[in-house]
Amino acid sequence: MVNMGNVWDRTTEFLSDNLGAVVPIALLTIFVPQSISGAIKLAGAAVAPGLGQAIMLALLLPMLWGQLAIAALALRPDAGRSVAQSAATRHFLRYLLAILILFAVLVLLFLPIVLALVASGVDLAALTSATAGPKPDISPAMAGFIGLYGLAWLILAVFVSVRFSTLLVAVVAAEGGVVAALRRSFALSRGIAWKLLGVVLLFGLVVGVASIAVTSVFGTLFRFLDPSAGPFSIGSIIVAILGGLVTTAYYVVQSSFMAKVYLAATSAREVV
């Protein structure tokens, strides 16, 4: 049986003993991209929507690589940072493909809602527009279908995120194809899914509250001090940096924790 308290203790022990190896990876591959993404979000209309989205999408790649490297280091701390980085590079495309497969499945399962709206003549552009104005009418029957199906889809999305929460580690822990990593991650979460759900929700709640606090408190403070500040003012950059620090800490802890969960779950199954 996997004890999450013991896993947390091993995570904090790993981070305290290997902070010097973790910080350079986290700063270059997570903090910098996340801070840039945060600055683009805060800039709003000052950055062309297509350009901003393309930049933020591209910045996800080094962040995924950094999480792989941290997970690999947490699996084998004695091997050192260079070995972990080599493992991340070697398995990066496999991890990216595995994520795309899961994402594609969720998108395909979401399509019935889109198709139902299109079939009923709803203007999707007007429905999803952020500008003020009247929205297209949706019949009660359609609204009921969207609500029930959307709830079922949301539950499935949570299920997928929990059952494949160790995918990051499964990719770098053993050689094999994408399907093997997906199967391994799914199998290891059997019996501890509720515990993993609690951990995922707790991590998400903590980082969400911290991010909102940073953005709201410091954003309001800097707007009060300089109401005429532009989209890339010093205040906005500081808020983006602070938000990047919060997100970086989250991904570092999450990657390390899931690596220790993977080791604990593997050990428990070998004993059985």
Side-chain angles (χ1 to χ4, degrees):
M1 183 63 67
V2 177
N3 186 305
M4 291 300 175
N6 293 337
V7 172
W8 176 253
D9 291 339
R10 292 167 190 162
T11 301
T12 55
E13 181 182 358
F14 159 74
L15 290 174
S16 63
D17 292 343
N18 299 272
L19 198 61
V22 171
V23 168
I25 298 174
L27 286 178
L28 291 176
T29 65
I30 301 177
F31 170 70
V32 172
Q34 187 61 38
S35 297
I36 295 174
S37 295
I40 292 175
K41 290 178 183 177
L42 291 173
V47 179
L51 176 61
Q53 291 172 2
I55 293 174
M56 289 190 289
L57 187 62
L59 290 173
L60 285 176
L61 298 179
M63 291 177 63
L64 292 176
W65 183 91
Q67 293 172 63
L68 274 176
I70 293 171
L73 184 61
L75 282 174
R76 291 178 283 270
D78 295 338
R81 190 176 72 191
S82 60
V83 172
Q85 291 173 335
S86 298
T89 302
R90 188 168 64 253
H91 298 294
F92 178 73
L93 290 179
R94 188 154 61 102
Y95 179 51
L96 184 60
L97 181 56
I99 290 178
L100 290 176
I101 289 174
L102 295 178
F103 179 75
V105 170
L106 292 177
V107 169
L108 287 174
L109 291 174
F110 190 79
L111 281 180
I113 292 180
V114 179
L115 295 176
L117 289 172
V118 172
S120 62
V122 175
D123 186 353
L124 294 181
L127 183 65
T128 58
S129 175
T131 58
K135 300 295 182 182
D137 292 329
I138 299 177
S139 67
M142 179 60 66
F145 166 75
I146 293 175
L148 291 175
Y149 189 92
L151 178 61
W153 183 88
L154 180 61
I155 293 173
L156 177 64
V158 172
F159 172 82
V160 169
S161 67
V162 170
R163 291 305 300 265
F164 292 99
S165 57
T166 59
L167 177 61
L168 171 76
V169 193
V171 169
V172 296
E175 297 296 334
V178 173
V179 176
L182 289 168
R183 287 178 176 173
R184 181 69 170 166
S185 177
F186 188 84
L188 284 176
S189 64
R190 186 181 300 118
I192 59 173
W194 288 109
K195 293 181 179 180
L196 287 173
L197 175 61
V199 170
V200 170
L201 291 177
L202 179 60
F203 282 179
L205 178 63
V206 171
V207 72
V209 170
S211 297
I212 292 173
V214 167
T215 303
S216 300
V217 174
F218 287 96
T220 302
L221 175 62
F222 286 121
R223 282 194 298 270
F224 175 77
L225 295 176
D226 188 3
S228 62
F232 291 104
S233 64
I234 297 298
S236 296
I237 293 174
I238 292 175
V239 170
I241 290 174
L242 293 174
L245 286 173
V246 171
T247 307
T248 300
Y250 164 72
Y251 282 123
V252 167
V253 172
Q254 182 199 47
S255 301
S256 305
F257 185 85
M258 288 306 170
K260 299 306 179 182
V261 167
Y262 182 94
L263 291 174
T266 301
S267 177
R269 277 157 177 75
E270 289 176 351
V271 171
V272 173

